[in-house]
Amino acid sequence: MKAVMVGATRGMGRALARLLAGRGDALALLGRDPNELLTSSRDLVARGASGPVPTGHLDLAEPAGFEAALDAADRALGSFDALIVTGGDFAPQETLERDTARLARLLEVNFTGTVVLCQQTAERLARRGGGTICAFSSVAGDRARRGNYLYGASKAGLSAYLDGLGLAYADRGVRVVSVRPGFVKTAMTVGLPVPPFAGEPESVARVVLRALDRGKPVVYAPPIWRWVMLVIRLLPRAVMRRARF
């Protein structure tokens, strides 16, 4: 696989990049912080990535730069065949309720920017015969909750988009993998109460890698979240309200 990764410098993205590097895949990293990208690049080369791991600037809140970043990755890898977007934004509900600028950025990163990047890549891959797009959504997008409905709305929109993208481009050879993690112990969740079934980045990465290889359209990680969310989606609204869920 020749994969372009957005968000591979930390958490689940870094764990997944290390697995890909360990089996000799070719990787290119896109992100905002050049120092973090360079550090991750060196780490992945040491872990067995095929050839150098080029890096480039990409901010999911700045769609104007996406095509140039993808062009550069194409040149560096010799035509990539996969895009993996693990990058995203998160903030507590209370912060998003009182800070509209912060809310706007989260929506831009998690939905608008990610959708534009995946759409541009889908067209690129379809023109050359196919490939894979994998993006991280969240179980928070499966059912609105009072405690995280703003973040959840951004992921609900992304999940719906990825489902549709997979249907629309299947005949053109583009496979779409929508990843829906539950709570995972990363830097993004430091300080938050740890719920049952919380996952580790490495175990989540292994689940995602299997889904990538099989072209699975939707994957929950850890897998138990598929059944947890099935129950939560079936809860009547009145129960959700009374339980203050």
Side-chain angles (χ1 to χ4, degrees), residues 57-130:
H57 176 79
L58 186 140
D59 185 337
L60 284 170
E62 298 175 0
F66 291 173
E67 286 286 7
L70 293 173
D71 286 344
D74 250 341
R75 290 192 296 270
L77 291 180
S79 191
F80 66 83
D81 55 23
L83 170 71
I84 301 172
V85 184
T86 65
D89 196 7
F90 175 81
Q93 176 75 19
E94 297 76 13
T95 301
L96 298 173
E97 288 176 349
R98 67 171 180 267
D99 187 342
T100 53
R102 184 72 185 82
L103 171 60
R105 177 172 174 83
L106 180 139
L107 295 173
E108 182 75 17
V109 168
N110 287 356
F111 182 71
T112 305
T114 301
V115 168
V116 171
L117 178 63
C118 290
Q119 194 66 31
Q120 291 178 347
T121 304
E123 273 300 314
R124 185 178 293 244
L125 294 178
R127 286 196 298 270
R128 62 181 61 153

Side-chain angles (χ1 to χ4, degrees), residues 3-29:
V4 177
M5 301 192 69
V6 179
T9 59
R10 59 185 65 184
M12 293 179 283
R14 179 169 58 187
L16 180 58
R18 286 176 169 175
L19 289 180
L20 293 168
R23 67 181 195 179
D25 288 343
L27 303 174
L29 308 182

Side-chain angles (χ1 to χ4, degrees), residues 110 136-145 148-161 163 178-182 220 225 229 232-233:
N110 287 356
F136 278 49
S137 185
S138 170
V139 297
D142 279 22
R143 180 81 191 261
R145 293 175 50 224
N148 68 350
Y149 67 88
L150 291 171
Y151 171 76
S154 72
K155 293 299 189 178
L158 179 60
S159 293
Y161 165 75
D163 286 347
S178 174
V179 182
R180 300 180 187 180
Y220 288 81
W225 280 98
M229 294 312 300
I232 291 177
R233 286 197 302 271

Side-chain angles (χ1 to χ4, degrees), residues 177-203:
V177 179
S178 174
V179 182
R180 300 180 187 180
F183 188 99
V184 181
K185 299 174 187 174
T186 66
M188 188 178 285
T189 58
V190 167
L192 298 178
V194 178
F197 315 124
E200 299 287 348
E202 292 76 16
S203 61

